Amino acid sequence: MGDFLLKLRAIADESRLNIIRLLLDKDFCVKALASKLEISESAVSQHLKILREAELVLGEKKGYFVHYRVRKEKILAVADFIEGLVK
């Protein structure tokens, strides 16, 4: 239950949910996410840290930048858990 709550808290924030929505379409680096969301790079980094700790995103170094992507299987696991609660 603790792991589920960690993931749920991570996606409960509007900025983090917007980051996930963007990353579902394409991998982005911090700078690109900050530009698209119109928030600071440090704010994006803090949000990504929380999402990484919840194992919802994964970063991969490409050249000078780290590009992030959503771990779709983890998002689907949260959805499955919620669906199980409803049944």
Side-chain angles (χ1 to χ4, degrees):
M1 183 69 104
D3 186 50
F4 168 73
L5 290 176
L6 180 68
K7 287 173 177 38
L8 204 53
R9 282 187 202 113
I11 61 174
D13 180 86
E14 184 178 359
S15 293
R16 290 192 288 271
L17 190 55
N18 286 332
I19 288 170
I20 288 171
R21 285 182 181 158
L22 286 170
L23 292 176
L24 283 169
D25 289 331
K26 182 181 173 184
D27 296 357
F28 286 104
C29 66
V30 170
K31 188 175 186 90
L33 286 168
S35 175
K36 289 200 170 282
L37 296 169
E38 298 180 348
I39 59 176
S40 70
E41 290 180 31
S42 62
V44 171
S45 292
Q46 289 299 312
H47 288 305
L48 285 169
K49 178 184 178 203
I50 292 167
L51 291 170
R52 279 193 320 269
E53 289 172 351
E55 300 179 335
L56 296 173
V57 299
L58 193 61
E60 182 180 332
K61 185 128 169 100
K62 293 181 181 179
Y64 292 110
F65 301 99
V66 176
H67 290 255
Y68 292 89
R69 66 178 174 85
V70 172
R71 297 182 68 186
K72 292 179 184 177
E73 72 280 2
K74 300 290 185 173
I75 300 287
L76 291 171
V78 171
D80 288 343
F81 187 89
I82 292 171
E83 185 179 11
L85 290 173
V86 176
K87 290 184 178 179

